[in-house]
Amino acid sequence: VDHFRLPPVEEEIREDRTKVDARSTVPVVRFPEWHECPQCHRLGRDGDPFQVSAQGDRLECVGCNHKPVNPVRFIVACHKGHAEDFPWVWWAHRARVGGICGQPSLFLQSRGQSASLADLFVVCRNVGCRASQSLGDAFMSDVFKGHKCRGVRPWLFDREPCDLGQTVVQRGASNVHFANTASALSIPPVSEPLS
């Protein structure tokens, strides 16, 4: 290689960030969409409550003086390899009598002396709600019973039909996605058509 080149980048970040011109940009997707502020431990997405930085390269927590936020640790996946965001809002409210409140405001809160998931709670701090749920049983096999996979493939920007059950996985785990790899071996002259 005699040189490196930067990929094409748009000069101006448009208001509508959902549309990109494939001729002038490299398409990417932010996954998982849910992030956590390392300072206040708020959970959210772009626009609710986090915002894209001035450079457009990351999300920031406005309430914590534009502190960069981190992608959450957990996602859900099925055995066909489809992956999507962990249902944080549903999880926090799953035991609440009234269901999901009108304006969820989610935080991760540690309530113990250990690093165990049982001591990590998803808490809704919406006025009058105060729903709270431990992540201790999130990895149990029957937790998402009744929740079917929606066939989401974020890396391809699409969905395909799927009705398998979902399980919780860590987003950086090696078992999250296995691409199909095909190999071929060509040994001349035996591989030539004339042979």
Side-chain angles (χ1 to χ4, degrees), residues 117-132:
L117 284 179
D119 291 336
L120 190 60
F121 284 76
V122 182
V123 178
C124 180
R125 293 187 185 164
N126 183 19
V127 177
C129 178
R130 300 295 183 192
S132 178

Side-chain angles (χ1 to χ4, degrees), residues 39-66:
Q39 188 169 333
C40 70
H41 301 289
R42 178 84 190 259
L43 291 171
R45 296 178 284 196
D46 180 10
D48 182 26
F50 306 131
Q51 71 178 22
V52 177
S53 68
Q55 296 82 16
D57 61 343
R58 63 178 184 250
L59 292 180
E60 298 175 333
C61 182
V62 180
C64 292
N65 200 23
H66 299 279

Side-chain angles (χ1 to χ4, degrees), residues 99-194:
I100 297 172
C101 69
Q103 293 183 326
S105 178
L106 303 181
F107 291 81
L108 276 180
Q109 184 178 34
S110 179
R111 294 184 185 167
Q113 302 296 327
S114 73
S116 163
L117 284 179
D119 291 336
L120 190 60
F121 284 76
V122 182
V123 178
C124 180
R125 293 187 185 164
N126 183 19
V127 177
C129 178
R130 300 295 183 192
S132 178
Q133 189 68 42
S134 169
L135 285 169
D137 58 349
F139 284 88
M140 294 178 68
S141 60
D142 62 344
V143 169
F144 288 100
K145 196 173 188 175
H147 286 264
K148 298 296 181 188
C149 176
R150 298 182 307 146
V152 177
R153 299 185 296 182
W155 59 97
L156 294 176
F157 305 100
D158 76 348
R159 285 185 181 174
E160 64 181 10
C162 185
D163 62 353
L164 294 177
Q166 296 175 313
T167 57
V168 177
V169 292
Q170 292 193 43
R171 70 171 162 82
S174 61
N175 65 343
V176 170
H177 178 73
F178 295 104
N180 288 336
T181 304
S183 299
L185 181 60
S186 175
I187 305 173
V190 178
S191 61
E192 297 295 324
L194 291 177

